[in-house]
Amino acid sequence: GAGVSQSPSNKVTEKGKDVELRCDPISGHTALYWYRQSLGQGLEFLIYFQGNSAPDKSGLPSDRFSAERTGGSVSTLTIQRTQQEDSAVYLCASSLGGDPSSGELFFGEGSRLTVL
Amino acid sequence: AQSVTQLGSHVSVSEGALVLLRCNYSSSVPPYLFWYVQYPNQGLQLLLKYTSAATLVKGINGFEAEFKKSETSFHLTKPSAHMSDAAEYFCAVSGGSNYKLTFGKGTLLTVNP
């Protein structure tokens, strides 16, 4: 596709349920990032992929959060046993390489998660 | 480690007035600095970036920013605000081999007619 595609755009779930958020990056982009945007908190880094491997998972807030990337393309962020504090917009971004100084990050429109 | 502080979570200007959005950074290595803009219900879009070339950087839509090492600042300016500039603006930093962008909390710009 022309840009980074995320689905679903909106997800409402009940506390304790599992959710999966999907990111389809720009074709050919080897680097993929997940960020979380909470009201008034800016963007919080979650995880970075280079190809299918995740050299940095340090931003994942708890072991309820996991992510994978397959075929060097699509990535899925999974949140197990959701809590109300997980409510946020989850943003995915991709870039040609892993060095932000050499190119820009292209962001998707985000998946808004609401946990009731 | 890097961090970014954006002074003012909300800035309001009149159409045609100067826009000044403030960003201060902290970095243990020479930084790369970025400004991104987020329009309502859209993803972030790169406005401009500083990567150790010219200290005055020009971006899209008439915006520019100046890197001042002595002040650890990278403020964003535009001489004359348009209604279409209303959006949230994020300053970000990375550095060295650090592939991560660390973002500030954002500044919401309102443009009044």
Side-chain angles (χ1 to χ4, degrees):
Chain A
V4 177
S5 178
Q6 292 188 246
S7 61
S9 55
N10 278 287
K11 176 71 175 180
V12 180
T13 191
E14 294 179 348
K15 178 181 173 181
K17 300 282 189 183
D18 297 352
V19 296
E20 286 189 350
L21 307 177
R22 175 188 167 107
C23 173
D24 199 343
I26 293 173
S27 178
H29 281 193
T30 60
L32 186 147
Y33 309 77
W34 284 97
Y35 282 84
R36 180 167 70 175
Q37 184 177 21
S38 304
L39 193 63
Q41 296 301 311
L43 276 75
E44 174 189 12
F45 169 81
L46 297 179
I47 188 170
Y48 157 70
F49 287 92
Q50 182 62 248
N52 290 338
S53 64
D56 188 348
K57 307 178 183 179
S58 63
L60 295 178
S62 74
D63 58 8
R64 296 186 295 105
F65 287 72
S66 63
E68 65 175 11
R69 189 178 185 194
T70 56
S73 181
V74 172
S75 176
T76 302
L77 177 68
T78 301
I79 309 172
Q80 296 179 309
R81 305 181 302 281
T82 53
Q83 304 295 312
Q84 288 183 332
E85 61 263 29
D86 299 334
S87 297
V89 177
Y90 290 82
L91 292 169
C92 177
S94 68
S95 68
L96 276 173
D99 180 3
S101 69
S102 63
E104 67 182 274
L105 268 59
F106 293 83
F107 282 84
E109 294 185 358
S111 292
R112 180 177 299 277
L113 175 64
T114 303
V115 182
L116 302 177
Chain B
Q2 285 115 5
S3 66
V4 170
T5 301
Q6 291 185 240
L7 300 175
S9 60
H10 188 191
V11 170
S12 183
V13 301
S14 298
E15 191 172 20
L18 171 73
V19 175
L20 171 61
L21 305 181
R22 300 178 187 274
C23 172
N24 287 90
Y25 69 91
S26 172
S27 178
S28 56
V29 297
Y32 302 129
L33 294 158
F34 306 81
W35 276 99
Y36 280 80
V37 60
Q38 186 178 32
Y39 298 103
N41 299 315
Q42 295 186 25
L44 278 74
Q45 177 184 358
L46 182 67
L47 265 182
L48 50 79
K49 62 181 180 181
Y50 166 77
T51 57
S52 75
T55 56
L56 181 62
V57 180
K58 295 186 184 297
I60 61 172
N61 301 335
F63 284 93
E64 63 181 36
E66 185 172 10
F67 171 68
K68 292 188 176 180
K69 183 178 178 180
S70 61
E71 299 177 8
T72 61
S73 69
F74 190 58
H75 302 330
L76 182 70
T77 61
K78 181 174 181 178
S80 176
H82 294 168
M83 297 295 291
S84 59
D85 294 328
E88 189 155 23
Y89 292 79
F90 293 90
C91 183
V93 64
S94 70
S97 61
N98 187 349
Y99 44 83
K100 283 190 293 192
L101 288 185
T102 299
F103 285 86
K105 293 187 176 182
T107 298
L108 181 65
L109 175 66
T110 302
V111 182
N112 303 307

